[in-house]
Amino acid sequence: DFEYKGEHYSTNPFATCFPGDTPITLKDGTSKNINEIKIGDEVITHKGRARKVLNVFDRNINENLLSLKIDGLTYPLLVT
């Protein structure tokens, strides 16, 4: 965990959330919003490999979002 500008953020990877409109790349090269991903969908991982989705989580949160600029992305990645 860490604090940034007086706000608390969790570094637990299982506690990280993304807004529902975060684009996810599928095995076939198309993308869809993370809130549309279903068990069995094949998505591209952070290592560039296709993997089947084994579980999905849906949480209502009321936390600050952290905007991350990542090389190769044309938009900031928002996470809790």
Side-chain angles (χ1 to χ4, degrees):
D1 291 3
F2 68 97
E3 288 205 18
Y4 177 71
K5 294 187 177 181
E7 299 294 335
H8 179 80
Y9 295 92
S10 173
T11 55
N12 178 346
F14 299 108
T16 301
C17 291
F18 302 91
D21 62 350
T22 301
I24 302 297
T25 303
L26 305 176
K27 180 181 178 181
D28 66 5
T30 63
S31 66
K32 62 180 172 179
N33 291 342
I34 197 169
N35 63 354
E36 299 171 340
I37 297 293
K38 298 179 184 108
I39 293 173
D41 284 348
E42 291 189 87
V43 300
I44 301 301
T45 71
H46 66 290
K47 293 185 177 181
R49 296 183 270 191
R51 294 289 189 259
K52 281 190 179 181
V53 174
L54 302 177
N55 206 341
V56 295
F57 302 92
D58 184 16
R59 297 189 321 163
N60 289 321
I61 61 165
N62 186 16
E63 298 179 33
N64 292 314
L65 294 175
L66 185 62
S67 178
L68 305 174
K69 183 177 179 187
I70 299 175
D71 287 342
L73 288 181
T74 58
Y75 52 88
L77 182 62
L78 301 175
V79 299
T80 58

